[in-house]
């Protein structure tokens, strides 16, 4: 377990987070045994994405709530805990949106670093779009140190798609938490989340996105169980 403070906010990192990031890296990288550096760079990019995401929640939450904030990171993401008054609807929405928006800020940061080497913003823009679509813009390899190139590619890819995933209107993802501020009935919230997750899982499996499909099925089951236990 790792403990440190960032901008005065306590951060706790459980070993399970590194295990999940390592598993994702092994699933995403060809010949991981021969590409240990690629696995490590993937894990580094994933950690930066997750940490930036949670710090977005924490910094905005501390500014709004005027109380103590702490970040706990484990498994597939983290939790930001607040010690303060209950936020209003729009305060809660703003605090929740801050996480995905913060991680998306890593994209222009990565682009800025790329452009320091490339000195051609149009090339950087086209390369960034290619990365987001799952490609590898090899035209940049000649400009950047190879490991820096790989790290920036992973950082762009993970920050964008992690934000997109989190904004799906499925509880307990950030999109589902935003939905909860407008759907007051817990049973209705879990039902909506369950139906959306089920439909998205069918889309994921139909397009060969096996891991995403499995994750969405897990969310279907968790929302079904929560719905059965809900009071209203």
């Amino acid at each position: 377990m790792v403990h440190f403070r960032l901008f005065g906010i306590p951060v706790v990192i459980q070993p399970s987070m590194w295990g999940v990031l390592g598993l994702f890296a092994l699933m995403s990288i060809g010949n991981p045994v021969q590409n240990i550096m690629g696995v490590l760079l993937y894990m580094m990019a994933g950690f930066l994405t997750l940490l930036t995401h949670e710090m977005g929640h924490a910094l905005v939450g501390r500014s709004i709530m005027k109380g103590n904030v702490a970040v706990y990171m484990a498994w597939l993401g983290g939790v930001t805990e607040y010690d303060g008054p209950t936020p209003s609807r729009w305060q809660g929405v703003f605090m929740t949106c801050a996480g995905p928006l913060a991680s998306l800020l890593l994209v222009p940061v990565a682009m800025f670093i790329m452009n320091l080497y490339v000195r051609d913003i149009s090339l950087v823009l086209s390369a960034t779009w290619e990365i987001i679509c799952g490609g590898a813009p090899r035209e940049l390899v000649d400009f950047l140190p190879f490991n820096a190139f790989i790290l920036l590619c992973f950082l762009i890819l993970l920050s964008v798609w992690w934000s997109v995933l989190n904004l799906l209107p499925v509880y307990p993802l950030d999109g589902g938490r935003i939905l909860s501020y407008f759907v007051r009935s817990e049973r209705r919230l879990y039902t909506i989340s369950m139906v959306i997750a089920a439909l998205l899982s069918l889309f994921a499996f139909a397009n060969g996105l096996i891991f995403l499909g499995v994750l969405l099925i897990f969310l279907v089951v968790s929302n079904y169980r929560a719905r059965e236990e809900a009071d209203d």
Side-chain angles (χ1 to χ4, degrees):
M1 188 182 300
V2 179
H3 301 257
F4 61 91
R5 283 181 173 268
L6 186 60
F7 302 114
I9 296 173
V11 179
V12 178
I13 303 175
Q14 298 284 353
S16 58
M17 188 202 70
W18 301 113
V20 172
L21 287 176
L23 178 61
F24 283 2
L26 293 173
M27 294 169 57
S28 304
I29 296 173
N31 299 319
V33 175
Q34 300 177 11
N35 193 4
I36 298 299
M37 182 56 70
V39 171
L40 294 176
L41 291 172
Y42 185 102
M43 293 175 65
M44 185 184 301
F47 169 69
L48 290 173
T49 299
L50 295 175
L51 180 61
T52 303
H53 179 103
E54 293 304 327
M55 289 305 297
H57 290 312
L59 290 170
V60 172
R62 184 175 66 179
S63 175
I64 292 176
M65 306 290 285
K66 308 299 183 184
N68 296 320
V69 182
V71 171
Y72 299 90
M73 300 178 66
W75 299 105
L76 186 60
V79 174
T80 301
E81 294 189 351
Y82 307 95
D83 179 15
T86 301
S88 68
R89 172 186 293 179
W90 291 109
Q91 285 177 331
V93 169
F94 185 44
M95 289 162 54
T96 305
C97 288
L101 292 176
S103 54
L104 282 175
L105 288 177
L106 291 173
V107 176
V109 171
M111 291 173 64
F112 175 78
I113 295 172
M114 284 182 176
N115 200 52
L116 291 177
Y117 292 91
V118 178
R119 301 292 183 179
D120 184 345
I121 190 61
S122 62
L123 179 59
V124 170
L125 286 170
S126 63
T128 300
W129 179 249
E130 186 176 349
I131 293 167
I132 293 171
C133 295
R138 300 188 181 277
E139 62 271 19
L140 295 188
V141 175
D142 294 334
F143 295 95
L144 281 79
F146 184 73
N147 288 335
F149 166 73
I150 296 298
L151 176 62
L152 292 173
C153 286
F154 283 147
L155 198 61
I156 291 171
L157 184 69
L158 294 176
S159 61
V160 169
W161 289 108
W162 178 248
S163 298
V164 171
L165 174 65
N166 255 280
L167 287 172
L168 294 177
V170 177
Y171 197 84
L173 302 177
D174 287 337
R177 294 186 184 278
I178 293 171
L179 183 65
S180 70
Y181 288 105
F182 299 92
V183 179
R184 293 301 184 182
S185 166
E186 287 189 352
R187 286 180 62 86
R188 186 174 300 172
L189 170 66
Y190 297 136
T191 300
I192 294 172
S193 297
M194 186 171 60
V195 170
I196 292 175
L199 293 174
L200 289 174
S201 69
L202 294 176
F203 174 83
F205 285 125
N207 287 274
L209 303 172
I210 305 302
F211 175 78
L212 178 59
V214 171
L215 174 62
L216 289 165
I217 290 297
F218 171 79
L219 291 173
V220 170
V221 173
S222 66
N223 276 283
Y224 173 79
R225 290 176 176 173
R227 181 180 180 275
E228 293 301 301
E229 296 173 359
D231 295 330
D232 58 342

